[in-house]
Amino acid sequence: MMATYLEFIQQNEERDGVRFSWNLWPSSRLEATRMVVPLACLLTPLKDRPDLPPVQYEPVFCSRPTCKAVLNPLCQVDYQAKLWACNFCFQRNQFPPSYAGISEVNQPAELMPQFSTIEYVVQRGPRSPLIFLYVVDTCLEEDDLQALKESLQMSLSLLPLEALVGLITFGRMVQVHELSCEGISKSYVFRGTKDLTAKQIQDMLGLSKPAMPMQQTRPAQPQEHPFVSSRFLQPIHKIDMTLTDLLGELQRDPWPVTQGKRPLRSTGVALSIAVGLLEGTFPNTGARIMLFTGGPPTQGPGLVVGDELKVPIRSWHDIEKDNARFMKKATKHYEMLANRAATNGHCIDIYACALDQTGLLEMKCCTNLTGGHMVMGDSFNTSLFKQTFQRIFSKDFNGDFRMAFGATLEVKTSRELKVSGAIGPCVSLNMKGPCVSENELGVGGTSQWKICGLDPTSTLGIYFEVVNQHNAPVPQGSRGAIQFVTQYQHSSTLKRIRVTTIARNWADVQSQLQLIEAAFDQEAAAVLMARLGVFRAESEEGPDVLRWLDRQLIRLCQKFGQYNKEDPTSFRLSDAFSLYPQFMFHLRRSPFLQVFNNSPDESSYYRHHFARQDLTQSLIMIQPILYSYSFHGPPEPVLLDSSSILADRILLMDTFFQIVIYLGETIAQWQKAGYQDMPEYENFKHLLQAPLDDAQEILQARFPMPRYVHTEHGGSQARFLLSKVNPSQTHNNLYAWGQETGAPILTDDVSLQVFMDHLKKLAVSSAC
Amino acid sequence: MPTWQKEWPRLERGGGTSWGDTTAPTTQIGTGSGAWEPKTLGTKANLDLEPGMSRAPPSSGAPPTSTAQASCGQAGYGQFGQGDIQNGPSSSTVPTPRLPGSQPFGSPLAPAVSQPAVLQPYGPPPTSAQVTAQLAGMQISGAMAPAPPPSGLGYGPPTSLASASGSFPNSGPYGSYPQGQAPPISQTQGHPGVQPPQRSAPPLASSFKPPASGGPRMPSMTGPLPPGQGFGGVPISHPNHVSSPLPQALPPGTQMTGPQGPLPPMHSPQQPGYQLQQNGSFGPGRGPQPNYGSPYPGAPTFGSQPGPPQPLPPKRLDPDAIPSPIQVIEDDRNNRASEPFVTGIRGQVPPLVTTNFLVKDQGNASPRYIRCTSYNIPCTSDMAKQAQVPLAAVIKPLARLPQEEASPYVVDHGESGPLRCNRCKAYMCPFMQFIEGGRRFQCCFCSCINDVPPQYFQHLDHTGRRVDAYDRPELSLGSYEFLATVDYCKNNKLPSPPAFIFMIDVSYNAIRTGLVRLLCEELKSLLDYLPREGAEESAIHVGFVTYNKVLHFYNVKSSLAQPQMMVVSDVADMFVPLLDGFLVNVSESRAVITSLLDQIPEIFADTRETETVFAPVIQAGMEALKAAECAGKLFLFHTSLPIAEAPGKLKNRDDRKLINTDKEKTLFQPQTGVYQTLAKECVAQGCCVDLFLFPNQYVDVATLSLVPQLTGGSVYKYACFQVENDQERFLSDLRRDVQKVVGFDAVMRVRTSTGIRAIDFFGGFYMSNTTDVELAGLDGDKTVTVEFKHDDRLNEESGALLQCALLYTSCAGQRRLRIHNLALNCCTQLADLYRNCETDTLINYMAKFAYRGVLNSPIKTVRDTLITQCAQILACYRKNCASPSSAGQLILPECMKLLPVYLNCVLKSDVLQPGAEVTTDDRAYVRQLVTSMDVAETNVFFYPRLLPLVRLRIGTKSPIESTTELPAVRASEERLSSGDIYLLENGLNLFLWVGASVQQGVVQSLFSVASFSQITSGLSVLPVLDNPLSKKVRGLIDSLRAQRARYMKLIVVKQEDKLEMLFKNFLVEDKSLSGGESYVDFLCHMHKEIRQLLS
């Protein structure tokens, strides 16, 4: 049974990019709420499907205006009458004329069960160009700026020739570079302190007047070029050289920065202008604003910290003490921008490379609401940034960019279900409808979301509510269905629609609890619950979130654990739930919920990625993976536990954000002694090399590129490992556990064992 | 110190001797004046009958009388001898040059005769004294009228002349006269009629030689024998005369002839004949005439003439008899050009500005730096009030000096800085008194006793002078500079070198006219000639901005391959988008700058943008300087009214209907307060703004020029600019403007010795308090006029001291103090005041005063104020200084005899009395220009120089090198001979007037065309021809231009051509089309005013 469910889950994930917390659905609202973990799924709308060639026609929609579901394999089809019945609203629809030849043996792909996920290519309509607007901070150190310039120049070669590019640079001023002119380079300059309205920006850039003299002189242009052109956004094939030179000549912000001051950085205005520019020129066209910044905004709207160095940038401590004077205003500014960008289908990336914070906390909404990337590094002159940035422009098996723009995700549910909300890189489109639940989880109150930028791994958590009443049981064997319709602008500039229709069986909780239990996907559930927790953490106090998570866990254990009341030792969980508490243990310690030792920027960064990665990556984030390398055998995954830290092992830990290679004490001594260089110890050399190779493999694949840490016993960077492992041995219980195994962790945190003991106690207690 | 020590010996020697010398001259002068004085008093108009008679005899009595008029003149001169240069010679000189010219047309004698006749009456006084100018006012003449007959022979000629003129007026009333005479007359008289006869005239003229005397007269000459015709022919001039004296008395008709009367005699021999006849005929006629009768009754107002019953029409004033600017200028040249002006003596009146002289600084500032209205100040304010002579100094702190004169020495006192009085903060100067063996010094301004710092101590010699006095400029010179210390710098930081920012309008108009292309091309080479102050390379940084309704800044950093343009469209809140790379060193960024200047015309070649902004442009330049922490200058090249939405946006508010209303002043006021505020900020930053305007229509110069005005900048206006026509002028101005040495971020303070105080300032600057003149920029052409008032008694003994201290940043970025000291005498006698005045300076002050007045008062009030003040000045003289004489006599102080004519020119100027073709912008422009003019400029501006050219060719053997030596003629149409060619210039305009009967050879050699008719009217360039005349004339034009701060565009005007109207506006002694009085009329007017005051 278990095996089948694992296979089923995996198969569904492969095919539809969907993982549900429950794969058998409780058939009544009441029972569903008692299941503790909500009915929800992780959806990867554009999951790579190399095996799924898109069909070159458009989908057939249900004719009921409130439904508009897409014809799918679950629909009942009357081949004689050339009718189909919508499986969501039961509307009977005529097939369009092009389906005249339809028959049981001549079915269109969308009716075949294996095409529960299908992608349509919309041929008509204007082709929108890809637009990349670079917004570059020039308040950088010389070598940083140089590295950034090189990266940007490199990126030009990666863009498709028809892509439109634009350049905005900022420091104390904001410069919008006009790319169309030849010879002399021209830019429009804005004061970095002034909050300009969209209208003002467009006026000043000469966008509001269609009769710009420059364009008037070339009336033929619009015809030549499929896209309406702007002086600031030009096809790369035209201005490749110009832009390369322009980037090459980019100077550090020339305004003097006196001792004890931060450079004046007008990030807020720069972003505002970028948004305004695209809004004025390419509304509702996929576009990517790429903000490269090397420090916090220090002036104008959106300022995060003043320019006095003696006043440090806000910390969590300040925020808790309500001492972050600019935070609310700045956040509001960036939220306004993010919403405008999202409305127009533009996504905003932030590449922040600095040793100190750069204001990601305030700016996070820009990326989070628009589906942009957030990359945080120490310097632009690091491989972390360079490779991550390069990876943005990687291509898939078809040679298309692994990025899509301006997507809308619509969710349709069968009558027993309603959608409560979504958590991920999206904004609500506020589409009310019959399948919208009143109970919101995440971003709710709508059946449609806008995802301005997404890639094949972008994953949303979507939460549902079973609305079927207990007293109106669903017929035995009937299934609930959900359809995800994702319309997006493919990087090939064509519009595409991907439709995924899934169905699951209803089950009666009372009679089929075990089946339901078996159909529990604890990994998906952990991630979905974690997303809820992180979502709450954005607006609630940390301890409250933890309490909420604990309560949910306890309730789940009470519900699905097997135990005798008041007897913790009797407590057992079935296999389907066995890992779940451990996930929760690590989640509680994770940087997504713990802000201790993290800056607000770091927290924002971690949460940003957590809210958009797919299940596998999310799980790694929750509970890092630890491999052990030794002479005792092949590399093996080991417990994320201090007991795994042994002197004669090399450990490789992947936390998603960091790859840590840790040499045990003995190994480190050996290495220092140089054994690896001796021919007779070649095996040692190999042993040392093995984790490096494996790490490299991970580094190659991951976006964003993780921080790579190579350390050893006693090394300062060993903290990365020590902070993650379950502190089964601490200075408190060291003697009890003996000295031979593992490494004690200097912490007061509870260990997994203690956590579990408490959990059991609480679960079996009747007090809860 | 070492620097000047080396050079000092030279000075010392010179100084030593000159001290000696100067004393000598003083005595001379003293004696001279002594000698003159009696004369002055003696001189007066002799025209009045009774008293005149009594006095007259000596002077007039003899020669004039019967001796043929011809001879009398000479005789007269003979009498006065060479001894007295003043009037005698002057009068003689005038005619003589003329003679050759007139010769062809008639006998030289005759004209001579007539003139002297006229002169004589005046002659005597002049000869005897400086006073010279006494005029028989018209009344006088009226009074005279009876006289002449009695005086009979003696006065005969003059009277006859006068009466002739007088009679003419009558001709009008005499309906019969014209009729009787002949049709031609009527024609000539009537204005419309004038032209036809003239046209017909030329052919006639050719047949007749006589025509020479002047086009208009021609007809009269030819046809009609009757005298009337002769006069009738000269309609042009009539307007003035008769009417003025007795307006009521003389109805329109009077106007007709007046001027001509005198003229004809001068030029043509024949005319006198007519005149006589006329006189004869008219003379009698008058008596009976009812017309005259009635007016005269009115005359009593004048009080004076009881006796001179009015039966006779007023007497014409002979223009040659009234004080002649040309004469005064010539005399001064002859007398004072040869000797250097040594400044060692207190209260010396310097030579006139028109005289070319050298200055030796021996303790007082050169008149090139400071000129005063009077060099002898009344000791008390009561006296000053009585005299009404404004006490003002026209200061040009950075005046350019001729090569022969050394620029001020720079004194470096090291860290201690210049030595100053502790109390009044005056700077060490030659007048400071060292006492107690040199350990202390007493301030010459406030009498405070100060310790001499040890490092400055020096022993005194037996006269009480420091023994090192001649080693130290600040102890022996009138002008010198101190190096300033950081205490004198903004923010206590030594200044950075200044910057020049070129801000170019690239709107449609600027592109279309080719301005932008021309300018960019020029700048490429011009940037090599930034002021460098002796250094190898100019320290000045440059920057570039173009604009229409947005601004484009350019990054021209040397490391760039191409310039970068940065557009700032946020004109409402202007800022500077870049720092590094905006202001650059020319030689380092040469390639990028050249590339930029090449590209600017291309970038905007297709522009359709017609709207411009203005205030934000200045704001941007100012912010750029602020960001660069330096002072500097903006060069703005602007074409149109800034109507784009931005601060300082203007609307077209030009309204000719406002002229002559109480609201007229608004035309001169800025439209908005934005520019005032902006100017203030500019001044605070040391940002000087030079504005080059290229308007096609109204641009509101009054508003646009406010910032340049308040920041010490210049405004240049090229209306309807076209590259072909105006290129030369614009480029020449631009070159000069860019290259000229400028002081930046300057503060000027004028300190005075106790008793007087600077209370008012005129010029291009800003003042935030009552004492400090703040100048964002100051160049060698800019002048500040300062007015003083008494606040206590002055002491005759100690005199009055002025010290003008100018703190500024040099072009090389050095902070300096320039000090000018001037000691003036003080007097208890009004006569001393009047004897030491300088009319040119007075006019400079009065013009500036009036031009500022128009901002706040109706123009009429301003004009009346001027006239009243002038009358008061003259009346005071008459009352207190002149010896008693008939009220009918107009007696002018010698030093002020030109005051009326010059004042009239001021009153007639475009600002105070605009002609129909003068635009509001023109007026505002001129108003602005005059505000910063020095004395020489106002002099020629208000009374243009009119140089006859052909005579020049014939009359002189060697080519005339210096134009200052050229004899000019008076600015009146009467003085123009149709056989001659004239150059007229006023510092802004330059005309070449070609007479209709100029010899063909002359036409050929100047214009390379066969005849007069083929000369292109309005030509602005003379062809370059290889013949002496052409070379000389072109050389003359070049040298005239070289003298002036602005390039004067040449306009060739042909006699009788349309353009002549324009030209005639500058003949300031004539009645102007806009209603300005002729010199003669004004003089009469003034006389009337004076008499009213006296009675």
Side-chain angles (χ1 to χ4, degrees), chain A residues 575-596:
Chain A
D575 284 351
F577 292 86
S578 57
L579 295 175
Y580 188 83
Q582 189 180 328
F583 288 142
M584 289 300 117
F585 170 75
H586 287 290
L587 177 65
R588 292 176 93 261
R589 290 166 49 88
S590 75
F592 312 114
L593 297 179
Q594 293 289 350
V595 297
F596 181 73

Side-chain angles (χ1 to χ4, degrees), chain A residues 53 141 464 611 684:
Chain A
E141 293 302 317
F464 301 94
F684 180 57

Side-chain angles (χ1 to χ4, degrees), chain A residues 173 175 182-191 194 196 204-205 209 213 216-217 249 251 254-256, chain B residues 549 554 557 560-567 569-570 573-580 596 599 603 608:
Chain A
M173 312 280 171
Q175 274 176 272
E182 289 163 10
I184 197 162
S185 71
K186 188 171 171 185
S187 58
Y188 284 68
V189 188
F190 294 81
R191 179 173 275 202
K194 200 170 173 185
L196 297 165
M204 288 178 187
L205 289 174
K209 243 198 279 176
Q216 272 185 344
T217 58
E249 279 189 339
Q251 301 290 316
W255 300 89
Chain B
K549 65 184 218 184
Y554 294 93
K557 198 174 173 175
L560 295 176
Q562 279 284 322
Q564 293 174 349
M565 179 202 283
M566 305 174 104
V567 184
S569 12
D570 189 3
D573 189 10
M574 190 39 65
F575 62 96
V576 185
L578 76 172
L579 185 60
D580 195 23
L596 171 67
Q599 289 184 66
I603 297 172
R608 306 261 175 105

